[in-house]
Amino acid sequence: MRSAAHEKPAKTETRLSIALMVILAIVATGVFLRQFKINPAVRALRPEAYQHALAPESDQAALIDATASGITPFSPPERFGPDTLYEKINGRADLYLASGFASLSTQRFSPNDAAGAWVEVFVYDMATPANAFSVFSMQRREGARSDDAFPDAYRTENALFMTHGNFYLEFIGTDASPGLQQAMGDLARLFVASHGDAGAGPAPGADLFPMAGFTPDSLQLIAANAFGFEQLDQVYTAEYLIDATPLTAFVSPRPTPEAASALALEYRQTLLSYGALVVDGPPPVAGAGVLKFFDTYEIVFSQGRYLAGVHEAGSLEAAAELARRLAGHLQGTEPKP
């Protein structure tokens, strides 16, 4: 009789092990993405946020010229580069670095009539408007209210977040008083006035998605490692509601049609290697791969220079409908250089 220690694992055990490894990978991806959802307003008020990376230089010009606005600089300006960003936003720097971060400048301002209260201004130079939109969209608070005074802006109880050209900006107050809310808006307007007209056009990537069923303010740009797949970068996502089913569509402009097609195939092969199953039947879009991954469906296809699809859908029928709409919208459209 053979020893049990030398018996080969049963197929069931092997499959169970693979399933557990996939679940662990999904959990790890969820934890990785969740770290980007920490409210910046909370982060800014942590004690470590008060540390100065550079020695204060009181003779530096203020980050925002607030002369005659009733708002006064409350601390010297500070500046952080790629090597020192961790000192200011420990635990969150990777998101910015992966998105093209160039520099961060910060300074606190206080309304003249608000003793002891202040607003800390964070100006992230992200090198391009798309990079700035990426970090803005990845951190947008659920349920936050838009600020119509600026093209891409929203407010929380004690903060204002926005983009302007290459810049992603945060204005975070020590409290939620109307005086500080007013000061945040005033500082934002002064910054915009001194940094040129960035235009009031649609957000980067907004023209990649059809409007039918689109959930407002859901557009995101994932700069790197989208859906836990390292090769997927510069992926725009948008949320939809079709037949009462919430869905996520994605589009990634690639350099050439061949590159888009090859990446679509590679992504599908990766899902299959993690246990996804091919769904039989005609695909909703010519050449699309339709996969079932646990209890969700993934549709992946390429069209021209676009990699596109529907991610983790709870309904195959709704996902197929969204894929058809997306393909129809993308047909004949070329990504902007």
Side-chain angles (χ1 to χ4, degrees):
M1 179 180 296
R2 290 186 302 171
S3 169
H6 293 87
E7 291 182 350
K8 292 183 179 179
K11 290 184 179 180
T12 301
E13 293 174 335
T14 301
R15 290 171 179 168
L16 180 60
S17 298
I18 293 174
L20 289 173
M21 292 179 65
V22 171
I23 292 172
L24 288 173
I26 294 173
V27 171
T29 300
V31 172
F32 175 77
L33 294 176
R34 182 58 185 162
Q35 66 178 313
F36 300 142
K37 294 295 185 182
I38 300 172
N39 193 327
V42 174
R43 183 196 67 232
L45 297 177
R46 290 173 175 170
E48 61 266 26
Y50 303 147
Q51 297 174 359
H52 290 197
L54 303 176
E57 300 178 32
S58 57
D59 58 343
Q60 290 185 15
L63 186 56
I64 297 174
D65 183 0
T67 304
S69 68
I71 303 173
T72 305
F74 189 67
S75 69
E78 300 175 275
R79 190 173 187 280
F80 302 82
D83 295 336
T84 57
L85 182 61
Y86 292 94
E87 299 175 15
K88 185 64 176 178
I89 58 171
N90 184 31
R92 294 174 51 80
D94 287 348
L95 170 64
Y96 293 86
L97 295 173
S99 301
F101 170 83
S103 67
L104 165 65
S105 299
T106 70
Q107 189 169 19
R108 284 168 231 157
F109 294 83
S110 178
N112 295 341
D113 58 355
W118 42 265
V119 174
E120 184 158 17
V121 180
F122 295 73
V123 180
Y124 294 88
D125 183 348
M126 298 301 300
T128 70
N131 292 345
F133 178 75
S134 178
V135 293
F136 169 80
S137 66
M138 290 288 290
Q139 301 178 102
R140 187 182 182 94
R141 303 296 98 193
E142 293 181 4
R145 57 186 173 89
S146 297
D147 188 317
D148 296 333
F150 309 100
D152 288 313
Y154 68 91
R155 286 182 182 261
T156 60
E157 186 177 5
N158 68 321
L160 166 64
F161 305 91
M162 60 180 287
T163 65
H164 182 73
N166 295 347
F167 301 104
Y168 166 61
L169 301 107
E170 299 173 350
F171 303 83
I172 301 173
T174 50
D175 59 54
S177 65
L180 283 192
Q181 289 283 352
Q182 179 66 44
M184 294 173 203
D186 291 344
L187 289 167
R189 278 184 283 276
L190 289 169
F191 181 90
V192 169
S194 62
H195 287 77
D197 183 7
D207 57 345
L208 298 176
F209 296 92
M211 291 307 299
F214 176 75
T215 301
D217 298 326
S218 67
L219 182 66
Q220 286 189 333
L221 171 56
I222 305 174
N225 199 33
F227 312 147
F229 183 48
E230 187 175 1
Q231 286 78 5
L232 270 184
D233 60 2
Q234 299 299 309
V235 175
Y236 291 93
T237 68
E239 302 299 317
Y240 284 81
L241 190 64
I242 295 179
D243 296 334
T245 301
L247 300 162
T248 301
F250 63 91
V251 178
S252 179
R254 312 310 298 187
T256 64
E258 292 76 19
S261 177
L263 186 58
L265 179 60
E266 187 176 1
Y267 180 46
R268 285 152 54 181
Q269 292 297 333
T270 298
L271 292 175
L272 289 170
S273 72
Y274 279 108
L277 302 174
V278 175
V279 176
D280 294 330
V285 177
V290 182
L291 307 175
K292 184 176 184 181
F293 196 44
F294 292 99
D295 293 328
T296 66
Y297 296 93
E298 197 88 8
I299 298 178
V300 187
F301 62 94
S302 64
Q303 184 157 318
R305 292 197 292 166
Y306 297 108
L307 164 73
V310 181
H311 180 58
E312 293 187 344
S315 163
L316 178 59
E317 292 74 18
E321 174 59 27
L322 179 55
R324 283 190 287 268
R325 293 183 190 180
L326 184 59
H329 181 80
L330 291 174
Q331 191 171 27
T333 303
E334 286 295 321
K336 295 179 179 179

